[in-house]
Amino acid sequence: MPTERFVCLASGVGIMLALLFVGAHRIPPGWDKVAHFVCFALITALLWRGTDGRAPLALLASVVAFGALDELHQLFMPMRSAEFLDFVTDAAAATAVCALLFVRRKTSCAESSEP
């Protein structure tokens, strides 16, 4: 595995572990969903690069499942609360990034196969 892919994979997993074990800082009101979207978009992009986009549906399912796990985990954390809309935002970010990267990959593959 090339070093760049390993670093991306490790970074994505590191962010996920930090969310579970370290938690998040207080986000100003109104910015909560933006923070969720950006964080899960970054996780998805890093994992996509780390896996070289080889299993896009498995990657998408994994990130969405992690979003559900994160919200479930927050139910049991003091001073934290789980919100269904946070999960929806997480899933939307993962879906948007996977879709964009999938289309980008298909477009570049089609362009490189032209005579």
Side-chain angles (χ1 to χ4, degrees), residues 19-105:
L19 285 175
L20 282 179
F21 296 112
V22 177
H25 296 288
R26 286 282 178 217
I27 307 293
W31 289 95
D32 176 48
K33 303 303 180 264
V34 173
H36 271 267
F37 193 92
V38 169
C39 185
F40 275 79
L42 178 61
I43 289 169
T44 305
L46 286 169
L47 294 180
W48 181 283
R49 180 67 184 132
T51 61
D52 202 26
R54 290 198 176 135
L57 293 178
L59 184 130
L60 176 61
S62 298
V63 175
V64 170
F66 175 74
L69 176 69
D70 183 41
E71 292 305 315
L72 182 65
H73 177 255
Q74 289 180 28
L75 284 173
F76 304 104
M77 299 296 296
M79 311 271 300
R80 304 278 311 268
S81 64
E83 290 183 34
F84 181 71
L85 283 179
D86 286 348
F87 168 70
V88 171
T89 305
D90 300 342
T95 302
V97 170
C98 278
L100 286 171
L101 292 174
F102 185 77
V103 168
R104 180 176 171 234
R105 182 177 70 183

